[in-house]
Structures are given as C-alpha cells and as structure tokens.
Amino acid sequence: MPLAKRSDYGDAKYAGASVDFNEDIEKALQAALLCGFDFIVTPLVHPDYRPPNPGRSEGHAPGQLTPPFKRHEVLYLPSSARVSQVVGSVSTWIDPDSENSLLKSQSVTTLKQQIAWAGHLGLQAVLLPAVPQPMKAAHYSQVVQQALNGLTHMAIWLTVPLSAEHHPSSDSNQLLSAPQNGSGALTAVTVQDPWEWWHQFRAMTDYHNLLGCCLEVGATLPPPQQIERWKGEPIKSILLPTKVFSSNKRGYPVLSKAHQELLVMFFKLRVQVIVIGPRLHSIPEQERTVSTSGSASDHDGPPGSQEHRSASRPSNMTLANFIPVAESANGGFTIHNPGEDHELRSYWEYLCFLFRKLEPLPEQDRLEQDYQDYLQAPLQPLQDNLESSTYEVFERDVTKYSQYEEAVYRALMDRVPDAEASTTVTTLMVVGAGRGPLVRSSMSASKRSGRCIKVYAVEKNPNAVVHIQTMINKEGWENQVTLVYADMREWQAPDLADILVSELLGSFGDNELSPECLDGAQRFLKSDGVSIPQSYTSFMAPVTTHKLYNDVKNYKDLDHFETPYVVKFHRHYLLAPTQPVFTFNHPNQADPIDNNRYARLNYHRDPSAGSAALHGFAGYFECQLYKDVTLNTHPPTMTPNMFSWFPIFFPLREPVYVPAGASVEAQIWRCCASHKVWYEWGITAPCAGPVHNICGRSYYVGL
Amino acid sequence: MPLAKRSDYGDAKYAGASVDFNEDIEKALQAALLCGFDFIVTPLVHPDYRPPNPGRSEGHAPGQLTPPFKRHEVLYLPSSARVSQVVGSVSTWIDPDSENSLLKSQSVTTLKQQIAWAGHLGLQAVLLPAVPQPMKAAHYSQVVQQALNGLTHMAIWLTVPLSAEHHPSSDSNQLLSAPQNGSGALTAVTVQDPWEWWHQFRAMTDYHNLLGCCLEVGATLPPPQQIERWKGEPIKSILLPTKVFSSNKRGYPVLSKAHQELLVMFFKLRVQVIVIGPRLHSIPEQERTVSTSGSASDHDGPPGSQEHRSASRPSNMTLANFIPVAESANGGFTIHNPGEDHELRSYWEYLCFLFRKLEPLPEQDRLEQDYQDYLQAPLQPLQDNLESSTYEVFERDVTKYSQYEEAVYRALMDRVPDAEASTTVTTLMVVGAGRGPLVRSSMSASKRSGRCIKVYAVEKNPNAVVHIQTMINKEGWENQVTLVYADMREWQAPDLADILVSELLGSFGDNELSPECLDGAQRFLKSDGVSIPQSYTSFMAPVTTHKLYNDVKNYKDLDHFETPYVVKFHRHYLLAPTQPVFTFNHPNQADPIDNNRYARLNYHRDPSAGSAALHGFAGYFECQLYKDVTLNTHPPTMTPNMFSWFPIFFPLREPVYVPAGASVEAQIWRCCASHKVWYEWGITAPCAGPVHNICGRSYYVGL
C-alpha cells in the first residue's frame, strides 16, 4: 500500500522494510504488505551460511564447483508471483578485498553465488553491503562488474553510507590515519568521503546502467553542500535505520528536522525509502488505546501528534486503529487491521505522515514529469517546418505571450507620445509568425496602449500561414495585418519597421539561429527601430547527471556524445553556479557582423562540497524582450510559469572525476559556416579533454 | 645527404635546416642540400603577411572569403618534386587565444590559411609555433583539430620548448604570477612545465595521430627526470637553435656535454634534428685554410678537433675541404664543395660528428628494429599449433638454451653424486618439446655432467613431433630419448620424472598458461622432483606510449583496448619503477591449486619528474630456471642477449593525465575458468576507471 494515493512524487510513494532471514518469507512479506509497506528487503542466504572452504585436490578454479544451496540456507520463493516485492540482500560479512585469504575467497564465492541466486529467482534488485574498506574495493567492484556483464534486467544496488562515520568498519582513527601522500590515491579526504567510495566502485564497473546506490542515513548528517552531490547520482533508495529515529514524548518514532528535510529532498527526487533494522521504539500500551485528542503539542509531527492527526484523520481516533483513510479497504474506518501490529508500523506511519505533508506538485511540473531527464533533439525550425501540434503546445505558454504583449506595449508607449496616439501608425513586423500568437499579442498591446499599428506577419512555413489567414479573417484584422509568405532573410519589405518582433530562441538562446535570422531581417528595420527581443545571453554550468550520461552512452556512438540535447533536468547537480556564455544584441550594429563566439569559463567549486562527477554542461538563457521585460530560463532569474523551453545539455564523452577543491574549466565555441552553425566544446580542467563536435561533424543547425 | 650512411638509428640520420622566407625557395633548398642537410623548414608566408582585416558590411563567417595569396607572399614550389624536402612553418606571430580581437581573428584566419596552403602544396608536415600563452591555447588547439579533421596524410608538428624559460613570451615573473588556486586549473606548476602545454594541446585535439611535437632546445636544460617523460611522446624533431651552441677556441660551434647527451638520447629514439636560426659562429678565415693537425686538444669534440677528425678522416685534412668521406661523390676528397660555404655548414658538421660517434647498435637490436613499437597478439601455443618457422626463430636464442643447459646440468649434479654418476639414470621429461631444442640442451647437460639421463619428449603438435623424431635418429639418441605424442595434461606417463623441463612462458610469465600446463604435468613428477623452471614472477610498470595508444585506438573498437599485446617497446617512458605482480612456483604444493591471482600496485612518482600521460602498463618477467640460473626480461635484471620474449603491453581505453606528484594505482587480476584464462585490469588512482576485459570478454587464452 503506497504512502499515499498521490502520484506526483512518483516512486517516492513506495516504501520498503527490511526483514530478517526467514524460511517462510511469504508470510513475512504478507505481514509487511499488510502493515503498509510495498516491498521487503531480506537476506538471500542465512546469516550463518558460509560457502564451503575449497578443498579439492585438483582443479583450476576454486568456487566453480561450489555445491548448490540447501533449502534452509537460502531465500526461497515458491512462486514467482512475489518477485517484484522482494529485494535480496547479500550477506553483510563479505569482504572481497580482505587480506585474509579465506575470508576473501569465501566473499568472492558467495557474492557470485548470491547474485546468481537472485537472478535465478527473478528478483528485480539485489542490495549489496557497503564497501568494507574505504577506497579499497577494487576486487569487490570487479566481481560486481563481472556479474553485471551477465545481467540484462536485474539491478544491483550498492549500500553507501551518507556519512563516513556510519560506515560499518568505521573507526575515525583508522580513517584519519589513512596514508596521506598528497598523491590523490588515498588521502584522508577521499577515505572519509563515502561519495568517493561510490565513485571508485561505479567507475570500476564502467558506470553500468544497472548499478545504483542506496544511501544509508545515519544519526548525524553531512553538510548540505555534500548531500547536494547525490542529486545527480542513481540513488535507488534511502536506507533509513530505525535507530536514526528518536522518540517523541509518547514514545512514537520521529525524525529530527534535518532528517525530515533530507527525506523531503529525496521524495522530491522520487526516491523511495526502506526502513531497516528492528523496532526500537515501543509505544506504551495505554497510548495505543487511549484517545490522544488535544493532548499533543509537539510540532515535529510524529504519528499521533496534533499536527499529524489533523492532517489526515479526525482527531478523536486512536492510533491503534489508524490506517490512512484513503487506503482503507472499505472506504471507512476499520476496527482492527492486523498490519497495525507489525513491528515497523509506527515507522511506516511516520513516513506516510511526512510524505502526505509534501506540497502538491504544481500542475505544470506534473505535466512535465514525463519529460524529466529525457533526451530530446533540439528543434531545427529554420530547416524544417514545424507541425501544427508543435505550434499549439508552444502557444499555450500564457506567460511567454503576456511578456511579449508587455514588451510591445512598452515599446509602443515609448515610441509614440500620447498626443500622437491617434495619428501615428507604428509599423510592426512579426518575423517567424508561426500560427500568429505574436500577432495576437501585438494587437492586444496596440489596443491596450491606444497606439495604432500596422502589422506585417512574415512566415516561411506555407502551412502555418493558413492559420494566420484564418485568424486575420476571424478577428477582422484585414486592414491592419498583412500576411507575408516569405523567408525573412530574403523578403523585400515594402516598408521599414519600427518594431521587429520575433520568437526564435532555442534552449541555449542562440541555438535555433535567432542571430542569423534577425541579422537578415534587420535590413527592413528603421535606424531607430527596436527589436523585440533586444538581446539574449546563454548561461552554462557543469552538471552531474548519471541518468543522461547513460542514456547518451547507450547509443554506442560518438555522434550522440557530440550532440546537445533539450532536457528537463531532474536528477542532476550543478557543480558550480552558472556563468554567462554568449550574448547577442539586436539590431546588431557591428560591421561586419560576426556571430562566431568563444568562451572560456572557469568554475570554482567550494572545496567543502567534496569531489563530484562531471557528465557535461547544463545550459540556459536570459532574454531581454524590451528593457526590463524578460524571458528567462536561467534558474536564478527564471520567469515563473513559463514552459516553452527546457534547458540544454552538452554531454562529455567520458565522465570526469573532479577532485575536492578542483576547478572545472570549460571551453565552448559557436562556429558559423556558410550553411550551418554549430557548437564545439571541451574542458581544460581538472584535466584537458578532446574538443567535441569538431567542424560540426556530429551535430549542426542548418541555415 | 644523411649525417652518415649508417642506418642503425633510423631517421636520426637526417637533419634539417631552417631557411628564411625566400621567394626562390628552390635555390635555398639546393644550397641546404648541397651543404648536407636533407630537408629545410621555411615559412609558409612572408613574415610581414597579415590576412586582410575583415571589413565586409554583411556575412556570417569572417575569413571565409579571405582573398587568395599573392605569389610573393607565399612559399611557392613550382613543382611537387621537392615537397618531401620542405616543411612549412606557420607564422610565429599568431596568437589565436589573444585578448586582442583583431590579432585573434587574424591568427585564426591565417592558421587555417597556411595549413590549407601547405596541404595544397602537398607538404609532408607543417611546423606550428609554440603556444603563445602557457595553458591558454584552447582556441589554438581547436583550430588545429579542425584542420586535422580534414587531413589524411600531412602531419602537423607543434613546437614545444623543452624548458619554460625559453618560451617566446617567457617572462619568469609572468609565469610565476599565474593564479595559484590549488585547483589543478592553472597552477604555477602546470604553467611552467611545457609538457603540460603540449598535453593540453594534444588532449584537446583528441590525441590525433597526425599531431606530433618538435622539442625546441634552449641554453639550459630541465632536470633529466623531466626530459625522460618525452620518450613516450610523438617527437618528430629536435629544434636546435644556433644560439645554443658555444664556440670552441677556434670559433667552431660546439655543444655542452649535457646538450650532447640530450642529442644522443634523441638519436637513439631515431629523432631527427633541425638546426634553426642564423649562423652565429664565424670561423676565422685562417682556420678554414690552415691545417689544424695536432693543434687541438679539446675533448668535447667540435669539428676540427683532434677527436673529431681522427674519427672520420685523416688528421692532416683541413676543415675547408672536409666533407664526410663516406658520402663524397667520387669516393675520394673533393677540392672544394660549394656546400661548405653554407652558413650552417659548421653546425651540420658538428651533428655529423656527434651522430657518427654513436656506438653501433648491437646486431640483435638491429634485427628487432622492425618490431619496435609494433603491436603483436600474444601466442596461444596451447590452443594453436605453432608453425615450423616460429619454432625456428625461437630456437635461435642461444642464450636461452645455454641457460636451460646450465639449469639441467646443475640439477643433475645436485641430484646425482659423482659416485653414482655411471649407475643412476635420471628420468627427465621435456613437456612441450616443440622441435626438440630442450631435448638437445638436456642431452648436452647430461654429457657435460657425466650423468646418465632417460628423456621423454612430450609434444602435442603432431607436426613438431616429426622434427624431434628426425633429431633422435640423426643424433642416434634412440635408446635415451622416447618421443611421446600427447598433451602433457592428459598423458599417462609410464614412469615418474626426476626433472620436468618446460619452456611455456609468455611475455608476462604465466600468460601462455605455463601454470595450468605444469599443474597438469606434475602428476608424473617424483615427490622430490624438480621443475625447470622452478618459479617465475611477472613485473609491471605504468607506461607512456603515444604510438601504441594510437595504434590500438586505430582499431576503433573496445576489444583491442582490452587485449594485451606483445611489444618491443621503443618510444616509451616508465612513469615509475616496475613492481612484482604474480608469482608461480613449481611443483605447486598447494591443495587445492588456485591459479587465480590479484594484485594491487601503488606506483609513487617522483614529484620533481612532473606530470605525465599514462597509456597502460608494460609487463615483464623474471624466471628462476634452477636456483640462480635465470631467464629475465625484467629490465633491471635482464638476461643479456636473449631475444625470445618481448615485453607485454596492457592498454587503457583512455589516456590518463597523471598530475605531478600523483600516484598511479593499478589493479590486475588473473582469472581462471574451466576452459580459459584471462587478465582483467584497471586503475584506481590518480582516478578510478573501468575494469578492462571483464569476464575475458575481449581477450582470453584458451585452455
């Protein structure tokens, strides 16, 4: 039973529970499901199981003939009906990198054995224990890579402590006494940062798309800037030990404010939670039967508190018969649900409480969910004619067209004094008019300002032109709006324009060739004429995005690594704040006009944020339509409720390890040739790499 | 005319001269050839040439319509007959990364222009000036990568100063005042190390195989450990400015001891020298006509000195009519060669002198020249039957078989006291006898020791067996040698052996499955029996080898990056001393026998050696045949004059930048399955990378 019926946070609504090894796992699973959990995590083999010590007198490959498991030693599922509700966990005693050769050999054997068994059962995922020795898990990761090599759908999840002090073998002296040779090999910094353990492990497994991680939360949390890094990583679950909870005054398990915020952050990333460990918080018997109405005043929101109850049920209910209203089988209140006796029930209820408290996702975000972290090729509107439905989607962006209307309104007000309002006719040309939305915005601005305008609507798509004609006829604008079927770069205008209005921007500002189009159109702009937009600037930041890197890699060719994509980033982390890249101003007074650009961007990272992985660059723009009327996708200044543009993603061919405190230096070019425009990009720090898309060999925009 | 007729140092025998821009370049070329040089380096355009400042009123791509060169502005070759003797150099004033936009734009334009012109002429190489701004050459390298993208055979050579202080824009204050942000981006270390400039440049050009470098030597040299790094890089020429020479007491140009050693080092790598700059050393007129016989006593060896003359010509010759005897057109002495008047003649003579002084390359090295830096797939003698000619080549290794004879001799002497020499018959089994060389060595040892032996020659290749039979008959060994046509792992021996002799080692020791074969054969070894070899250990070191990296990359697939190769390393540099990897002992007393191995190797580098590029690992072995009789390919202990094994090369998929002072941590596994054995390898420092050849997916040795 999910934490709530709401679906706006995706998989985050599912919660799992760890269950001890159990010969009758179906029963244990049933109990957990009845309690409210959606799946369980349970050991693949009995904790006492050890593979036999190889002792044959001859042979090349110890472990090859490991005898089969016995029924009682192993997680046994009589039917495959339940496999999607069980995650198998590998024995936590393993240490494939141990100096002890017996332990090492048994670890390797059983790791292979257990993954193979999970695969045999058809489980969807296997949970691996955390690396026993920080930064010394080469052998562990090699065995896992070997296993991954043979897998097609079962995922492997590595447990990673969020903080080094919660590492099983943790001994801060040991960690601190790690060799500090300044070599980058095993410094105290890397040994104490579990992100480094994860990174080493996944780099050795070649960023395999079936390898994910489960972050185990401890009692104390690392600083926020270190937690941020995980947003771009493939986190499959949060492991939440019962010991991390404290008790509220009535004995119910509750989380600290910081832990609550952490969970909320991961809920928003659609990460599910797994409660691990035994019940440590026992609710006094009287509490379970006595009404608590009005007696609670804590505001950290444990189940049974005022805040909690009022959010989800009548305050005169007892906790004992509390099950979330929405999921109640008969739509009302049950008298007794056997799931309430489950030892982890109060933890599950707390998760329900936290999850239900999340503010509802805005409508627009909900609509865009399907596009999150999904690669799209940028449009080429200059080369290709758009379909009607594409125009239609963009026309729905009310915010954007309001801004255009406002920009035209201000320009009209500035250019025409009140005294001349009725006599002066302003010539306005909409270049790239599409189906006409900017004509409509301009006409509204004209009406609102009381300034007369004469509009030329220039459009090169013969199909779109039909819609404009319809609009003109329907609105009765025949005397004011002239429809021109032409390419703005070639049209011989009969008149000069006061205002040139266009909407040619792409996700990276200039990437749909707005500069080239407007340079071609400014021939028919008066010398004191105004272009709307007046200018635009692209912005870029280094980004971690494991998901997108893997999606690009999945194409298995160079071309896809040398193509920028339009992407709604979700699971991502910016390694440093954005920096401005290229700016274009219109009309462009330069002679000759040169739309080639080059930028060298040095991103300094906060050393306390730790190391991070770099998969490429996220790009945005800021556009000045007219004076302070703007359209911005750049996060710090983003125009609210505007959805016409997703950001852009420039991938790198190989993930780059960025050590703590290191800078990222990016180089990016906008290159122009007679029939195409393209970007080239590369990095020169923390280490130099190849320039991508040289000569536009993999990607370009046709002129 | 080459520096000498000797060919043992390859291209090093060719020397070039820089020639100023000249409208009649054929005449200048003729003069240089007559002087003795083999080619010239000359500017592609007049030093005063600047591309026109783009000033068109419209257009997208400035430079696109750059007007053609005029005849007098440009290097002009009326016919293509001479193109192989001319290297074109690009204007040294260029700075494509300049902050000055005019200079930047002109630089980019002319760089493209000049490379295109050189390509048009059909030159074999273009020499680029050094990067004008250390670690700030992204734009320069991007334009070069664009040019490389369109080239198929013309090489591009980047000038790189050997020492930062000789950098054209050098100003040590400027270099030292570079930002030191500890970020790895632009530290003083990287800014002051020209290797870093080269590395950034070639990394951004994606390690293109047509990009090489020309090292410009200055008056002072960097420390030897920094020079060493260049041995693995694609150095196309040494640029030797005349100003680096000093004058000996008679005015002749001579080099310091350190510079001589530097040149010798590069000669040995087959790197040619180009003398650049004007004549700065004028030989007094009397010196050019007066005999210097007996008057010189300097030992630094300038032309005209006692040492120089005695090495190549009668000491009573005057310098004026000195031309190298061997190349003299009529085989004798000419009275006056007009080439002697060439302003660089005395420098060329000095190079002749230095080159001729090189000790002759040993016969074996000369034979192996064709194999240098050439990738070979390792043999699979267990799976495939070798050809007769392959056996034949290996049988020529006199040293190897002498060592075997000595090992058998010592074992026989140890096992059989003098008193029993005539009565005890030692049973010796040669497993993998091939065409019989070990049978012969064993018989020689028997004869020399006076110990009687009975030999079983076991061989699985039915074709090789014919040769053994022939040998037995020819030598009359029918009573002592029994030929067995069988696989040693399956043969049912009629007898137990005292001594088991085999030669199953590969370039990495165990890589041709000696362990598996001998484990299978030790069934028929007496409990106190001896295996020759008794043990072997592999060794490995991180290596720079640009040539091999490019050869592997050229296959354009993953498989070739996951295959170890047999290679005679030549242009290579070990980033750190070798370390032992895997050891096998025979007979193997372990129960069960486990031939799986794993090693984690931490290579610490001398921080003063600077940064370096890592392309993979070089592997060697040491083999103990019997007690202190060894066969070693491991450089520090190498068995002299043995040629049966070249080292092994484990490539990495991507070149790795190893910062100054950083360690390299390697992981390598020997993995055994029922029908195959393979290696997996990867690195965990300076940054973690994927395990290569997981599950033997790209390469394995069949059992």
Side-chain angles (χ1 to χ4, degrees), chain A residues 56-57 59 64 104 136 138-139 142 146 203-204 206 591-593 600 653-654 663 667 669 674 680 690-691, chain B residues 56-57 59 64 136 138-139 142 146 203-204 206 591-593 598 600 653-654 667 669 674 680 690-691:
Chain A
R56 290 164 301 127
S57 61
Q64 217 180 338
K104 177 187 161 120
K136 218 187 133 190
H139 209 52
Q142 181 237 15
Q146 290 189 333
M204 293 199 79
D206 206 6
D591 183 19
I593 288 176
R600 166 185 158 132
R653 275 158 50 177
E654 297 288 329
S663 289
Q667 314 279 342
W669 292 264
S674 56
E680 301 185 10
V691 178
Chain B
R56 292 164 299 128
S57 60
Q64 216 181 338
K136 217 187 134 193
H139 210 53
Q142 182 236 16
Q146 290 190 332
M204 293 201 80
D206 207 7
D591 184 18
I593 288 175
Y598 164 61
R600 169 185 156 131
R653 275 159 47 177
E654 296 288 330
Q667 315 278 342
W669 292 265
S674 58
E680 299 183 12
V691 178

Side-chain angles (χ1 to χ4, degrees), chain B residues 78-311:
Chain B
S79 98
S80 61
R82 293 299 192 187
V83 292
S84 66
Q85 290 163 318
V86 178
V87 170
S89 59
V90 167
S91 303
T92 53
W93 57 263
I94 66 163
D95 184 357
D97 293 86
S98 173
E99 302 286 334
N100 174 327
S101 66
L102 176 61
L103 174 54
K104 178 187 162 119
S105 130
Q106 288 189 318
S107 298
V108 170
T109 302
T110 208
L111 181 53
K112 291 178 176 174
Q113 238 184 347
Q114 294 185 34
I115 294 174
W117 178 251
H120 169 76
L121 291 178
L123 303 188
Q124 299 204 336
V126 166
L127 179 67
L128 301 179
V131 299
Q133 303 178 67
M135 299 308 282
K136 217 187 134 193
H139 210 53
Y140 191 175
S141 55
Q142 182 236 16
V143 176
V144 171
Q145 201 197 340
Q146 290 190 332
L148 285 164
N149 199 48
L151 295 177
T152 53
H153 76 283
M154 187 175 75
I156 293 191
W157 298 347
L158 179 69
T159 301
V160 181
L162 188 58
S163 169
E165 55 195 285
H166 307 302
H167 187 270
S169 79
S170 171
D171 164 352
S172 55
N173 289 330
Q174 182 200 318
L175 292 179
L176 286 167
S177 67
Q180 302 202 20
N181 52 16
S183 69
L186 260 187
T187 61
V189 170
T190 57
V191 169
Q192 287 178 83
D193 180 357
W195 183 91
E196 300 273 0
W197 316 345
W198 158 246
H199 178 73
Q200 186 184 77
F201 200 96
R202 62 93 175 266
M204 293 201 80
T205 52
D206 207 7
Y207 293 80
H208 200 288
N209 62 349
L210 289 175
L211 180 74
C213 68
C214 291
L215 277 183
E216 183 169 355
V217 175
T220 57
L221 300 178
Q225 68 272 27
Q226 290 190 12
I227 296 177
E228 285 287 311
R229 290 177 299 172
W230 290 101
K231 286 186 171 178
E233 301 289 355
I235 302 173
K236 299 304 175 185
S237 290
I238 297 300
L239 301 177
L240 194 62
T242 50
K243 64 176 182 229
V244 164
F245 289 81
S246 53
S247 297
N248 73 359
K249 53 178 96 158
R250 281 183 316 287
Y252 286 93
V254 294
L255 289 176
S256 74
K257 206 81 189 165
H259 282 80
Q260 290 181 46
E261 283 164 6
L262 182 81
L263 279 195
V264 166
M265 178 190 124
F266 285 114
F267 280 150
K268 287 182 175 170
L269 292 173
R270 316 241 173 87
V271 176
Q272 58 199 8
V273 175
I274 300 174
V275 178
I276 61 176
R279 169 157 69 187
L280 298 174
H281 305 75
S282 52
I283 298 133
E285 194 52 35
Q286 72 273 25
E287 184 68 19
R288 299 180 61 88
T289 48
V290 166
S291 164
T292 57
S293 164
S295 67
S297 61
D298 19 351
H299 279 273
D300 58 350
S305 79
Q306 186 66 32
E307 188 188 359
H308 181 200
R309 267 176 285 109
S310 63

